[in-house]
Amino acid sequence: MKKTTQETINNIIWKACDTFRGTMDSSQYKDYILTMLFVKYLSDFYREKKDELILKYDGKMDRVEKQLSREKFTLDETCTFEYLFENRNRENIGEIINSALERIEEDNKGKLEGVFRNIDFNSEAQFGRTKEKNAMLKHLLEDFNSEELDLRPSKLAGNDVIGDSYEYLIAHFAGDAGKKGGEFFTPAEVSTLLAKLAGAKEGDRIYDPTCGSGSLLIKASKEVGSKNFQIYGQERNGQTQSLSKMNMFLHDINDAKIQWGDTIRNPLLLENDKLMKFDVVLANPPFSLDKWGEEEAKSDKYGRFIYGIPPKSKGDYAFVQHMIASMNSEGTVAVVLPHGVLFRGASEGKIREGLIKENLLDAVIGLPANLFFGTNIPACILIFKNNRKDKDIVFIDASNEFAKEKNQNVLRDEDIKKIVSTYKERKEIEKYSHIAQIEEIEENGFNLNIPRYVDTFEDEEIVDIDVLEDEILEIETELVSIRGEMKKILEELGLRG
């Protein structure tokens, strides 16, 4: 049976983008495209389920309808993509789509409540007046009605439909969609690396306080190897939080708790008015976020900033301290950060010193530059653990091991494997990794800049002077010979007497 590939989906998405270009910003129209893709997936998913039941109950529709009403997800006929497509020429098609989205949420409150709250297909501000709006929506529905876009589960080759499509859009529109306030979409291979380093196990609670579209949480859950885990996340962008909920639904993670709000100013994952605790906490928070909430941090009722208040203009250690305060007594934190956190002084230096003296820092891993869409800022991964047995810290300089692609550098499978095995086996590898004792870090003034611990300097090749003199003599002799030949030719041509 022919499968629907990610390439097919991407091609149709790209075609759909043409419908919107010149009308609204790509960071806005990607949300409409992904929402329509989600509706198409729900329709195809539900249609396949219904077909299976019709076959099972030999066409007895009363039994089919009864069974469908017991399913984890229900879809009224007026909410299907087919219904929307049939009505694509109606004057009020924007209202019809909005009503369908509202009904989907209403009928599936437990899983999809709020996922479409920021989407308005009837918005004059976004789409223009009725004639222009209806033309765009008609084209959008026709794009997604392609016979090639079969999203029935049996037709998908294990695709992360929403997640991969989101990454595809970000990769093409990184200029205005992938970076806002220091936010950079986490490339799939960086998510995979972080998930493997964090190493979630069966029964773990897994948490991402800046979860974006949820891709990092999904990667972490795949490391468990079973369905025995719990997923938690918080995201301050309402539309991105919606996308994350859709992503969880598509991956059959039905009990994920994804909250909408600012993690530093208003953490929402609480138990008995205290921060909820987790086995694995991982994140790619906004790099060096300005105005992150320094004023509120001074009187934080959750006691998260015990190592110090980070500078107002750089929130990196605010997220780190929130994550550390959220891990349980045996927990692990894995976080992507800009290199500046390794060596900046003042309050950040004091926080860094406090974390090291508390024996929380387990590893410092330098990544290649230009891994993230829309920025070439060099990044690193810090790993923290509670109740550490080791007293040393693993330093890995992985900055030189990557594949160079058209616009980005990419971590290959072998690069990820080497980083993970070096960290887990705490290996010393010349010009790649070093196991530093606390005394060595103290001598460096708690500065964690990786070149202080991993020497990647390549010795210059020794020059053999005798060989070099012979080569120069040979070149000079050849030059004299060539000049002689040239003079002879010029004389024969009568150009020189």
Side-chain angles (χ1 to χ4, degrees):
M1 182 188 293
K2 187 182 175 185
K3 297 281 187 181
T4 305
T5 65
Q6 191 65 47
E7 185 182 4
T8 299
I9 298 170
N10 290 348
N11 287 339
I12 289 168
I13 287 176
W14 188 248
K15 190 176 172 187
C17 290
D18 288 335
T19 297
F20 292 100
R21 285 194 181 94
T23 307
M24 65 176 83
D25 187 271
S26 61
S27 64
Q28 294 171 312
Y29 67 64
K30 76 173 173 42
D31 295 332
Y32 290 97
I33 289 171
L34 287 170
T35 297
M36 192 53 72
L37 183 68
F38 188 60
V39 171
K40 180 73 167 66
Y41 175 83
L42 295 178
S43 294
D44 289 358
F45 171 89
Y46 200 70
R47 179 160 55 94
E48 182 166 81
K49 190 73 195 172
K50 191 172 182 179
D51 289 344
E52 288 171 1
L53 291 174
I54 290 172
L55 195 63
K56 180 178 178 181
Y57 293 118
D58 200 24
K60 295 173 181 168
M61 292 310 293
D62 56 333
R63 296 190 66 184
V64 171
E65 296 299 333
K66 188 175 180 182
Q67 185 60 38
L68 280 173
S69 68
R70 294 174 180 166
E71 289 292 322
K72 64 177 183 179
F73 169 75
T74 62
L75 191 70
D76 188 80
E77 284 300 321
T78 60
C79 303
T80 62
F81 177 81
E82 289 74 18
Y83 179 84
L84 300 179
F85 180 73
E86 285 167 9
N87 286 280
R88 65 190 182 283
N89 292 315
R90 293 273 298 274
E91 186 78 8
N92 62 337
I93 181 61
E95 290 175 19
I96 292 172
I97 298 174
N98 280 352
S99 297
L101 300 183
E102 197 175 319
R103 177 75 186 267
I104 291 172
E105 278 194 36
E106 184 65 26
D107 289 347
N108 301 279
K109 274 186 178 174
K111 300 178 182 64
L112 298 177
E113 186 172 18
V115 297
F116 303 125
R117 65 173 167 265
N118 295 306
I119 287 290
D120 181 2
F121 279 91
N122 201 37
S123 169
E124 192 172 291
Q126 294 286 7
F127 292 92
R129 296 184 187 281
T130 304
K131 188 176 178 183
E132 292 92 334
K133 177 184 66 186
N134 287 354
M136 265 192 280
L137 294 179
K138 180 184 174 186
H139 286 143
L140 182 65
L141 288 162
E142 288 174 347
D143 291 336
F144 278 91
N145 193 49
S146 167
E147 285 184 7
E148 294 181 342
L149 192 64
D150 189 338
L151 300 180
R152 286 177 293 172
S154 63
K155 283 283 195 174
L156 293 174
N159 297 344
D160 173 359
V161 179
I162 291 288
D164 286 354
S165 301
Y166 185 70
E167 185 173 344
Y168 173 80
L169 287 174
I170 292 293
H172 283 78
F173 304 117
D176 50 11
K179 50 174 185 177
K180 284 181 179 174
E183 293 178 36
F184 302 105
F185 183 78
T186 314
E189 71 276 5
V190 176
S191 294
T192 298
L193 172 62
L194 209 60
K196 287 185 180 298
L197 291 168
K201 308 178 297 299
E202 282 206 346
D204 276 358
R205 275 180 169 181
I206 306 167
Y207 169 50
D208 182 346
T210 56
C211 69
S213 64
S215 298
L216 189 49
L217 284 168
I218 289 166
K219 284 279 195 313
S221 71
K222 285 180 179 173
E223 292 299 312
V224 175
S226 76
K227 292 279 186 184
N228 185 15
F229 56 80
Q230 291 174 288
I231 291 289
Y232 297 84
Q234 184 162 340
E235 168 58 40
R236 68 174 182 171
N237 181 307
Q239 186 51 38
T240 309
Q241 184 246 3
S242 300
L243 187 67
S244 181
K245 291 181 79 168
M246 293 183 211
N247 214 356
M248 294 298 153
F249 181 86
L250 290 170
H251 286 83
D252 202 25
I253 303 174
N254 295 308
D255 56 354
K257 294 179 176 58
I258 308 295
Q259 301 288 353
W260 174 27
D262 185 318
T263 295
I264 299 299
R265 290 183 171 86
N266 186 25
L268 295 169
L269 290 160
L270 306 172
E271 276 179 332
N272 302 319
D273 289 331
K274 294 181 179 176
L275 291 181
M276 191 180 279
K277 300 290 184 180
F278 302 91
D279 302 283
V280 169
V281 186
L282 68 179
N284 173 21
F287 284 2
S288 301
L289 185 65
D290 191 14
K291 300 172 186 169
W292 53 270
E294 180 241 8
E295 300 81 3
E296 292 93 330
K298 290 171 184 169
S299 57
D300 182 57
K301 66 177 182 178
Y302 303 106
R304 291 174 289 178
F305 305 105
I306 57 176
Y307 300 100
I309 306 291
K312 185 177 182 179
S313 60
K314 289 185 173 58
D316 302 308
Y317 275 110
F319 288 102
V320 168
Q321 291 189 83
H322 170 80
M323 294 172 78
I324 287 172
S326 300
M327 68 173 166
N328 64 25
S329 59
E330 299 291 328
T332 298
V333 163
V335 55
V336 183
L337 295 161
H339 265 222
V341 301
L342 301 178
F343 52 79
R344 290 195 297 249
S347 60
E348 290 181 288
K350 288 179 183 173
I351 294 169
R352 194 166 56 240
E353 181 178 338
L355 295 170
I356 294 168
K357 284 184 172 176
E358 200 75 15
N359 198 30
L360 290 168
L361 182 61
D362 197 47
V364 177
I365 300 166
L367 299 174
N370 200 28
L371 284 181
F372 294 82
F373 300 120
T375 179
N376 58 9
I377 294 174
C380 63
I381 292 174
L382 298 188
I383 300 176
F384 299 91
K385 282 180 179 290
N386 257 334
N387 198 21
R388 270 192 352 127
K389 304 291 184 293
D390 298 302
K391 301 296 181 187
D392 48 29
I393 296 172
V394 181
F395 284 80
I396 298 173
D397 184 350
S399 60
N400 295 315
E401 302 195 4
F402 58 88
K404 202 170 184 62
E405 295 198 346
K406 189 178 176 185
N407 297 317
Q408 310 292 142
N409 293 331
V410 178
L411 287 173
R412 299 159 297 191
D413 288 347
E414 61 262 36
D415 303 324
I416 294 172
K417 195 173 176 183
K418 184 175 179 182
I419 293 170
V420 173
S421 68
T422 302
Y423 164 62
K424 293 199 171 176
E425 296 168 29
R426 305 183 88 76
K427 290 189 283 194
E428 282 265 4
I429 300 175
E430 189 179 3
K431 299 187 184 304
Y432 185 76
S433 65
H434 175 60
I435 312 301
Q437 302 301 315
I438 186 71
E439 295 79 11
E440 186 179 354
I441 293 165
E442 280 182 358
E443 285 171 11
N444 277 302
F446 297 95
N447 184 321
L448 299 174
N449 204 18
I450 297 171
R452 288 176 179 246
Y453 303 93
V454 183
D455 180 11
T456 57
F457 182 76
E458 295 287 346
D459 294 330
E460 290 184 17
E461 190 179 348
I462 297 173
V463 178
D464 187 324
I465 298 297
D466 292 337
V467 171
L468 185 63
E469 284 182 341
D470 287 345
E471 287 176 353
I472 292 172
L473 185 61
E474 189 178 337
I475 291 169
E476 286 176 344
T477 304
E478 193 174 347
L479 192 59
V480 169
S481 171
I482 291 170
R483 280 177 174 160
E485 287 292 321
M486 284 182 64
K487 183 181 177 188
K488 191 176 173 184
I489 292 169
L490 291 172
E491 285 173 354
E492 286 174 0
L493 293 172
L495 297 174
R496 180 171 289 182

